C-alpha cells in the first residue's frame, strides 16, 4: 500500500449518496487519477490517500484508495484554491483571493484562531467573520467524523445528518448503541443501523438489536397506514428478518412492554401489538369523541329552516332534502360527519352551516390538513381557513426538544364550532391532537370523501368513524345539477361505483389518449403540458396550471422520470442559471418543487408585508428563487409570497414537482390534471387511486395510456389492508353505553 498526499484539482465524478469518487489529484511530484469512496469531494481540498495503483482496462492507470484523511493545504496557492471551492460558508472566489493576498500562508490559522482579523478584508464584517470561523471549524470536525463513518458504510448524506445531530461526539455516541440512530435520526433506517452495528461488533442477538428490530417491524406497518399489528404476524416477520427465533422476539416484546415503548391489546379476540403512541392515540380519540358527543351544546336561537332558506335565496343555490338533512344533523350534534363525492354539495353545505352559526353569533373555526386544502376552502367558501396544525398552534418546545400542540385539553380552542374539511386526510395522531383541543360543548364537524385514498399517516379515521356508527353521519349521493354537466364529476362517480368512464365526449372536460408504449406516453405528456393544452385553452401556464400525476415514483412514467424530462423541457441546464446537484437530483432556479415532510421549525418570511413565521408542510409546492453557492443555501417561494431558505444539507426535504404522486396530491385541486395509465403494481393500480386522481382535476382531466389498463384499474377494487382499532373501540363504546 502507498500513501499519496495532494490537492483535488478536478472532480470527474462524485456520487453523494454512496460516496464513490473519481478525481484528478496533484501531488508535489505528479498528477494522478484517484478512485475511491469519499463523503465529500470538493475541488481544492487536500487529502492523504492510502491505496495502490491499478490498471483500468478502459481508463488506464488509477490510484485506487481504501482510506482517506483530509489535510489542510499549506501553500498559498493551495489555500486559495481550497477557500475558493465554496466549502466554507461566506467565502467565494473573490473573497478567497482577498484573504490570501492579505494573510498568505497564515490565512487558515487566522480563520481558526483569530477570526476577528478577517474584518480587515473589505466586505467582511463581524457577522461574516464569525460565520466563516464557525463554518471552518465545522468543516474540520465533519471531515474527521465522516471519514470514521465512511469505514462503516455510512453515506455522505447520512454522515452529515449524524454530524448535525451529535457534533464531534457522533462516533462515541453511536458506539454505545448504534440502534439509537433509528429512533433519533430522520431518514436513518434499521437496516443501515444494523450495518453500522455489525461493523462495530454488536452481536446478532443483542437486546438492542432485537428491540430495535421489533420497533422497526411495527414502524413498517405504521408507515403503511396501520396503527397495530397482530402479535403472531409481528413475531413471525421480525424473527425472519433478524434470523432469530420467535421466542427471542417474544422476549423482546415483553421487554418493550415493560419499558413502555409498546402496548399489547386484544381486538376481536386477537392479540395485537401497538407502538404505545398509537395505542394511546386510539384510546384518547375515543374518550374525547365520547365527551364531545355527550356534552351539552350551546343552544341555537335561530330557526334552522329559515336560515337555510335565506342562504338559498342569497346564493341562488338550492339544497336537496338530503343536503338539508345533513345541515340539520350537523348543527344539532356534538360530533358529526358529512361525506360525499365531488359535486354532492359539500362546500355549499359548509357555507350554509357557517351562515347558520354566524347568524347565531357562534364563533366558528374552519381548518384542513394541508395548506393547499385550506387555501382552496378559503377561496371557495369566502371564509378564512387555516391548517389544523396552525389552528392548534403547533410549535417547537425548547424544554422537551420536540414539536407540541399549543392548544390542548388544558388550554383548549375557544370556538363554538370547529369544521374540518378534507377529513379523509386526517390521521390518528392529528385526530388525537384535534380532539384534545376541542372542549366539550363545542360542535366538531368533519367533512370529507371517505372513498378517497386514506391519510398518508397511520389510521383510517374518517372511514372508522363512519363504520363504527358512533358518530352522526350524513352520506351525500345526489349530484348537483350543475355538477352533472361535468364529465369529470360524472366519471369520478362512475369509477367509484365500478363503472367504466365515458371517454372523449364532445365538448367535454375528460379525455383519454390511447398509447400503449410508455416512452410514447411520456413523450405525449410532455407535448400536452408544453404545447397542446396551453395552446388549446389559452392563458394556461404549463408548469403552474397543469399538474402531472402518477401512481408511482419508479419506471418510465413514474414521477422521477417524468420530473427529469419535464425539468429538461421547461428548465434545462443553461449558462447563467444557478443549479445545485444533490444526490440523484438537480435543483435549478425556476424549478417547481415540493416539500416532502412536515418541518415545523422551518422559518418563512413574507417580504412584502414584513411577516414571518415557522412551518413548511408535506405537500407544499413552490418555486426555487435563488441558489447561493457561497453560503450554501437555496430559497423557495411558496404561494408566490412566502420565502423559505434551505441549507444545502436540508435538500432531502425537497423534490421536483413537475410531476407528483397521486398520494401527494391529496387535498389539492389543479386547473388541469394529466396522468399516465400503464401497468402499475396491483396495490397502486386501484379504483380508489384512480378516483382520487380524477377528482384532483378542476377543469380538465387527461389520461394518457391504455384503455385496457384504465378498465383494469376500475375493476381493481382492492383496498390496502390497514390494521386500525378505532372503529372497534368506538363500537364497543356504544355497546358499553
Amino acid at each position: 500500500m502507498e500513501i499519496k498526499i495532494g490537492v483535488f484539482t478536478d472532480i470527474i465524478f462524485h456520487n453523494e449518496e454512496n460516496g464513490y469518487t473519481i478525481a484528478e489529484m496533484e501531488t508535489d511530484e505528479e498528477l494522478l487519477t484517484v478512485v475511491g469512496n469519499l463523503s465529500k469531494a470538493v475541488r481544492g481540498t487536500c487529502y492523504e490517500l492510502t491505496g495502490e495503483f491499478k490498471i483500468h482496462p478502459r481508463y488506464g492507470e488509477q490510484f485506487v484508495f481504501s482510506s482517506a484523511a483530509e489535510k489542510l493545504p499549506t501553500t498559498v496557492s493551495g489555500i486559495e484554491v481550497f477557500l475558493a471551492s465554496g466549502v466554507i460558508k461566506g467565502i467565494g472566489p473573490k473573497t478567497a483571493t482577498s484573504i490570501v493576498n492579505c494573510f498568505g500562508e497564515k490565512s487558515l490559522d487566522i480563520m481558526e484562531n483569530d477570526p476577528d482579523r478577517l474584518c480587515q478584508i473589505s466586505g467582511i464584517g463581524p457577522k461574516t467573520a464569525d460565520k466563516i470561523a464557525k463554518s471552518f471549524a465545522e468543516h474540520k470536525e465533519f471531515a474527521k467524523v465522516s471519514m470514521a463513518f465512511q469505514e462503516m458504510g455510512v453515506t455522505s448524506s447520512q454522515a452529515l445528518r449524524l454530524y448535525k445531530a451529535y457534533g464531534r461526539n457522533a462516533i462515541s455516541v453511536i458506539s454505545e448503541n448504534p440502534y439509537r440512530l433509528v429512533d433519533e435520526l430522520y431518514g436513518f433506517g434499521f437496516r443501515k443501523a444494523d450495518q453500522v452495528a455489525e461493523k462495530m461488533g454488536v452481536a446478532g442477538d443483542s437486546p438492542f438489536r432485537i428491540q430495535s428490530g421489533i420497533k422497526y417491524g411495527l414502524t413498517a406497518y405504521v408507515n403503511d397506514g396501520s396503527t397495530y399489528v397482530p402479535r403472531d404476524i409481528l413475531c413471525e416477520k421480525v424473527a425472519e428478518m433478524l434470523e432469530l427465533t420467535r421466542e427471542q422476539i417474544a422476549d423482546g416484546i415483553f421487554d418493550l412492554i415493560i419499558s413502555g415503548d409498546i402496548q399489547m391489546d386484544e381486538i376481536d379476540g386477537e392479540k395485537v401489538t401497538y407502538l404505545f403512541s398509537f395505542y394511546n392515540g386510539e384510546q384518547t380519540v375515543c374518550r374525547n369523541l365520547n365527551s364531545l358527543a355527550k356534552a351539552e351544546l350551546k343552544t341555537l336561537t335561530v330557526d334552522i329552516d329559515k336560515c337555510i332558506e335565506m342562504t338559498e335565496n342569497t346564493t341562488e343555490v338550492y339544497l336537496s332534502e338530503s343536503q338539508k338533512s345533513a345541515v340539520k344533523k350537523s348543527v344539532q350534534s356534538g360530533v358529526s360527519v358529512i361525506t360525499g363525492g365531488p359535486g354532492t354539495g359539500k362546500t355549499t353545505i359548509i357555507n350554509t352551516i357557517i351562515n347558520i352559526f354566524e347568524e347565531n353569533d357562534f364563533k366558528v373555526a374552519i381548518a384542513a390538513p394541508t395548506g393547499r386544502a385550506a387555501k382552496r376552502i378559503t377561496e371557495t367558501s369566502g371564509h378564512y381557513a387555516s391548517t389544523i396544525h396552525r389552528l392548534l398552534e403547533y410549535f417547537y418546545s425548547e424544554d422537551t426538544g420536540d414539536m407540541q400542540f399549543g392548544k390542548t385539553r388544558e388550554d383548549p380552542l375557544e370556538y363554538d364550532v370547529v369544521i374540518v374539511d378534507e377529513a379523509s386526510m386526517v390521521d390518528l395522531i392529528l385526530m388525537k391532537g384535534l380532539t384534545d383541543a376541542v372542549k366539550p360543548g363545542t360542535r366538531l364537524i368533519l367533512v370529507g370523501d371517505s372513498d378517497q385514498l386514506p391519510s398518508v399517516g397511520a389510521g383510517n379515521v374518517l372511514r372508522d368513524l363512519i363504520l363504527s356508527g358512533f358518530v352522526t353521519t350524513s352520506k351525500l349521493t345526489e349530484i348537483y345539477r350543475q355538477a352533472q354537466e361535468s364529465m369529470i364529476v360524472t366519471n369520478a362517480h362512475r369509477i367509484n361505483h365500478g363503472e367504466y368512464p365515458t371517454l372523449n365526449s364532445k365538448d367535454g372536460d375528460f379525455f383519454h389518449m390511447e398509447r400503449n408504449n410508455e416512452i410514447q406516453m411520456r413523450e405525449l405528456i410532455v407535448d400536452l403540458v408544453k404545447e397542446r393544452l396551453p395552446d388549446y385553452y389559452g392563458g394556461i401556464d404549463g408548469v403552474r396550471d397543469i399538474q402531472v400525476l402518477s401512481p408511482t415514483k419508479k419506471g418510465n412514467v413514474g414521477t422521477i422520470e417524468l420530473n427529469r424530462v419535464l425539468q429538461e423541457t421547461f428548465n434545462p441546464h443553461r449558462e447563467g442559471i444557478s443549479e445545485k446537484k444533490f444526490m440523484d437530483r438537480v435543483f435549478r432556479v425556476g424549478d417547481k418543487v415540493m416539500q416532502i415532510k412536515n418541518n415545523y421549525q422551518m422559518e418563512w418570511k413574507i417580504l412584502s408585508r414584513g411577516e414571518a413565521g415557522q412551518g413548511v408542510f408535506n405537500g407544499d409546492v413552490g418555486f426555487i428563487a435563488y441558489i447561493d453557492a457561497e453560503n450554501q443555501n437555496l430559497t423557495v417561494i411558496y404561494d408566490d409570497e412566502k420565502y423559505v431558505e434551505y441549507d444545502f444539507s436540508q435538500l432531502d426535504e425537497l423534490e421536483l414537482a413537475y410531476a407528483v404522486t397521486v398520494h401527494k396530491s391529496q387535498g389539492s385541486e389543479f386547473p388541469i390534471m394529466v396522468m399516465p395509465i400503464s401497468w402499475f403494481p396491483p396495490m397502486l393500480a386501484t379504483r380508489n387511486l384512480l378516483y382520487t386522481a380524477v377528482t384532483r382535476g378542476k377543469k380538465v382531466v387527461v389520461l394518457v395510456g391504455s384503455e385496457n389498463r384504465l378498465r383494469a384499474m376500475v375493476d381493481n377494487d382492492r383496498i390496502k389492508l390497514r390494521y386500525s382499532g378505532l372503529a372497534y373501540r368506538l363500537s364497543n363504546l356504544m355497546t358499553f353505553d
Side-chain angles (χ1 to χ4, degrees):
M1 300 294 276
E2 296 184 55
I3 295 176
K4 297 290 182 180
I5 300 175
V7 175
F8 281 10
T9 55
D10 189 26
I11 308 299
I12 300 170
F13 176 80
H14 178 68
N15 185 317
E16 291 199 32
E17 185 58 29
N18 60 26
Y20 182 73
T21 302
I22 305 172
E24 296 292 333
M25 187 173 86
E26 185 176 348
T27 72
D28 291 338
E29 303 166 345
E30 57 193 328
L31 183 65
L32 305 173
T33 300
V34 299
V35 179
N37 291 319
L38 281 173
S39 56
K40 265 191 174 184
V42 180
R43 182 179 173 273
T45 305
C46 182
Y47 285 100
E48 178 181 287
L49 306 179
T50 302
E52 59 185 340
F53 284 100
K54 293 184 179 180
I55 303 297
H56 190 280
R58 183 173 178 183
Y59 300 109
E61 188 178 64
Q62 298 176 333
F63 186 77
V64 180
F65 62 90
S66 55
S67 66
E70 185 177 340
K71 299 285 187 181
L72 292 175
T74 56
T75 66
V76 170
S77 60
I79 292 171
E80 183 174 351
V81 172
F82 169 71
L83 294 179
S85 67
V87 73
I88 307 300
K89 291 184 180 180
I91 301 180
K94 290 183 180 179
T95 307
T97 301
S98 299
I99 292 173
V100 171
N101 286 342
C102 185
F103 302 115
E105 293 179 357
K106 296 181 179 179
S107 296
L108 300 184
D109 181 65
I110 285 169
M111 288 169 56
E112 183 174 16
N113 300 308
D114 196 9
D116 290 344
R117 290 182 62 186
L118 293 172
C119 296
Q120 297 175 26
I121 308 295
S122 177
I124 298 181
K127 286 186 178 178
T128 302
D130 185 59
K131 180 167 70 174
I132 290 171
K134 286 180 178 177
S135 180
F136 183 57
E138 285 181 358
H139 177 78
K140 289 182 66 179
E141 288 178 2
F142 174 64
K144 295 177 184 176
V145 171
S146 64
M147 291 299 174
F149 278 117
Q150 177 188 307
E151 298 176 359
M152 302 174 194
V154 175
T155 67
S156 170
S157 58
Q158 290 168 334
L160 184 59
R161 287 199 290 271
L162 282 169
Y163 177 74
K164 285 189 171 292
Y166 307 118
R168 65 178 69 184
N169 299 319
I171 297 169
S172 61
V173 168
I174 300 309
S175 297
E176 294 175 5
N177 175 15
Y179 295 97
R180 66 186 296 174
L181 292 167
V182 185
D183 297 327
E184 299 176 9
L185 219 58
Y186 170 78
F188 216 103
F190 172 81
R191 297 190 185 281
K192 178 57 69 174
D194 208 31
Q195 180 183 329
V196 173
E198 186 179 7
K199 296 273 188 180
M200 290 181 169
V202 177
D205 61 353
S206 160
F208 288 136
R209 183 170 186 257
I210 293 173
Q211 292 176 28
S212 184
I214 292 167
K215 289 192 286 186
Y216 172 74
L218 274 168
T219 302
Y221 278 92
V222 166
N223 290 340
D224 276 343
S226 295
T227 59
Y228 71 82
V229 187
R231 186 187 64 178
D232 289 346
I233 292 177
L234 180 66
C235 283
E236 182 181 346
K237 295 287 187 185
V238 176
E240 182 181 345
M241 179 183 71
L242 300 184
E243 297 182 342
L244 297 172
T245 67
R246 294 182 62 168
E247 288 72 23
Q248 287 173 301
I249 306 305
D251 289 344
I253 288 175
F254 180 78
D255 291 337
L256 286 168
I257 292 171
I258 298 299
S259 66
D261 289 295
I262 66 176
Q263 179 73 39
M264 296 296 294
D265 202 3
E266 191 171 295
I267 293 179
D268 282 330
E270 184 176 39
K271 293 187 183 299
V272 302
T273 310
Y274 283 86
L275 289 170
F276 183 78
S277 59
F278 292 95
Y279 173 80
N280 180 57
E282 286 188 354
Q283 296 280 36
T284 303
V285 169
C286 284
R287 182 182 64 243
N288 291 343
L289 289 175
N290 191 43
S291 296
L292 291 171
K294 291 181 175 179
E296 186 175 346
L297 302 175
K298 189 175 177 180
T299 305
L300 283 166
T301 58
V302 298
D303 187 302
I304 297 174
D305 288 313
K306 286 185 178 178
C307 280
I308 292 174
E309 186 180 346
M310 182 178 67
T311 302
E312 289 177 328
N313 292 333
T314 303
T315 61
E316 295 186 350
V317 177
Y318 297 93
L319 277 63
S320 67
E321 289 305 312
S322 62
Q323 290 164 339
K324 290 178 182 178
S325 173
V327 171
K328 292 176 182 178
K329 284 182 181 179
S330 298
V331 301
Q332 294 169 344
S333 303
V335 185
S336 60
V337 167
I338 300 171
T339 183
T344 55
K346 295 191 297 294
T347 300
T348 301
I349 289 171
I350 290 173
N351 290 339
T352 305
I353 289 170
I354 294 170
N355 290 338
I356 290 171
F357 286 127
E358 288 185 341
E359 190 70 20
N360 213 84
D361 293 326
F362 279 23
K363 194 175 179 184
V364 181
I366 312 166
T370 68
R372 297 192 75 176
K375 185 178 180 182
R376 181 171 57 79
I377 298 162
T378 300
E379 292 169 351
T380 57
S381 72
H383 298 86
Y384 173 75
S386 73
T387 63
I388 299 173
H389 287 91
R390 183 168 291 181
L391 178 68
L392 301 182
E393 299 178 6
Y394 209 52
F395 73 103
Y396 178 77
S397 171
E398 296 284 353
D399 296 333
T400 63
D402 59 11
M403 302 303 299
Q404 295 183 357
F405 291 115
K407 292 298 176 183
T408 61
R409 197 176 305 160
E410 290 72 32
D411 183 19
L413 294 166
E414 295 298 330
Y415 291 96
D416 300 306
V417 185
V418 175
I419 301 172
V420 176
D421 200 8
E422 296 288 355
S424 63
M425 299 175 65
V426 177
D427 61 30
L428 178 68
I429 299 304
L430 185 55
M431 189 65 176
K432 176 186 177 297
L434 177 66
T435 57
D436 271 342
V438 178
K439 62 184 178 183
T442 300
R443 291 166 169 85
L444 176 63
I445 303 172
L446 304 171
V447 185
D449 185 350
S450 60
D451 292 317
Q452 297 275 2
L453 291 171
S455 59
V456 175
N460 214 346
V461 173
L462 185 62
R463 287 189 185 181
D464 279 356
L465 293 182
I466 296 169
L467 183 63
S468 72
F470 180 81
V471 175
T472 300
T473 300
S474 301
K475 295 183 180 180
L476 305 174
T477 57
E478 187 177 349
I479 304 173
Y480 261 101
R481 187 181 70 254
Q482 298 95 319
Q484 290 175 356
E485 299 171 3
S486 166
M487 289 308 301
I488 296 175
V489 172
T490 300
N491 280 335
H493 284 276
R494 289 181 65 86
I495 291 166
N496 196 34
H497 295 146
E499 302 169 9
Y500 301 135
T502 301
L503 304 176
N504 302 327
S505 62
K506 189 178 179 182
D507 300 324
D509 52 13
F510 190 103
F511 303 97
H512 171 258
M513 304 182 75
E514 183 75 22
R515 294 290 188 279
N516 292 304
N517 178 287
E518 288 191 342
I519 303 302
Q520 293 176 349
M521 292 179 203
R522 191 179 68 201
E523 291 173 350
L524 178 55
I525 288 171
V526 172
D527 188 34
L528 284 166
V529 176
K530 185 183 180 184
E531 303 286 351
R532 294 197 196 186
L533 290 168
D535 287 350
Y536 185 81
Y537 288 100
I540 292 292
D541 185 295
V543 175
R544 292 180 177 271
D545 299 321
I546 302 175
Q547 184 61 60
V548 178
L549 303 183
S550 178
T552 182
K553 288 186 174 184
K554 300 178 180 179
N556 288 318
V557 290
T559 58
I560 294 172
E561 180 63 13
L562 286 169
N563 271 316
R564 184 190 68 78
V565 296
L566 288 167
Q567 182 189 46
E568 287 305 304
T569 299
F570 287 100
N571 195 25
H573 171 78
R574 52 204 189 277
E575 289 296 322
I577 301 299
S578 300
E579 62 180 49
K580 168 62 181 175
K581 187 176 187 301
F582 182 83
M583 296 171 59
D584 60 347
R585 64 198 79 153
V586 176
F587 296 110
R588 297 190 183 106
V589 170
D591 274 337
K592 183 179 182 181
V593 293
M594 174 181 281
Q595 175 79 12
I596 59 171
K597 61 171 285 194
N598 290 331
N599 188 329
Y600 303 101
Q601 295 173 262
M602 186 74 84
E603 295 182 353
W604 53 261
K605 296 178 181 178
I606 298 177
L607 302 179
S608 60
R609 300 202 297 268
E611 295 180 16
Q614 289 182 312
V616 186
F617 303 104
N618 186 1
D620 285 352
V621 174
F623 292 85
I624 298 175
Y626 313 108
I627 296 176
D628 186 342
E630 185 168 311
N631 291 300
Q632 299 180 43
N633 59 52
L634 175 155
T635 301
V636 177
I637 304 178
Y638 293 101
D639 299 326
D640 296 325
E641 62 176 6
K642 190 182 291 183
Y643 288 73
V644 179
E645 186 179 284
Y646 293 80
D647 188 86
F648 281 171
S649 65
Q650 296 173 298
L651 296 184
D652 59 344
E653 297 187 18
L654 287 178
E655 286 183 353
L656 294 175
Y658 299 96
V660 301
T661 63
V662 177
H663 285 84
K664 288 289 188 184
S665 73
Q666 288 177 265
S668 301
E669 283 187 347
F670 314 102
I672 300 177
M673 189 281 286
V674 179
M675 188 173 84
I677 303 292
S678 183
W679 182 91
F680 300 115
M683 291 300 296
L684 295 174
T686 63
R687 181 188 300 170
N688 79 321
L689 184 141
L690 178 62
Y691 171 73
T692 301
V694 166
T695 58
R696 300 308 90 199
K698 194 174 181 180
K699 296 180 179 178
V700 180
V701 166
V702 184
L703 304 179
V704 177
S706 164
E707 185 174 347
N708 288 335
R709 293 292 182 191
L710 175 62
R711 289 172 173 262
M713 288 186 78
V714 175
D715 291 336
N716 182 9
D717 63 351
R718 180 179 179 184
I719 295 176
K720 194 172 185 178
L721 174 65
R722 289 191 171 198
Y723 296 113
S724 172
L726 186 59
Y728 173 82
R729 298 184 191 282
L730 287 170
S731 298
N732 278 0
L733 203 61
M734 291 176 65
T735 304
F736 181 78
D737 289 345

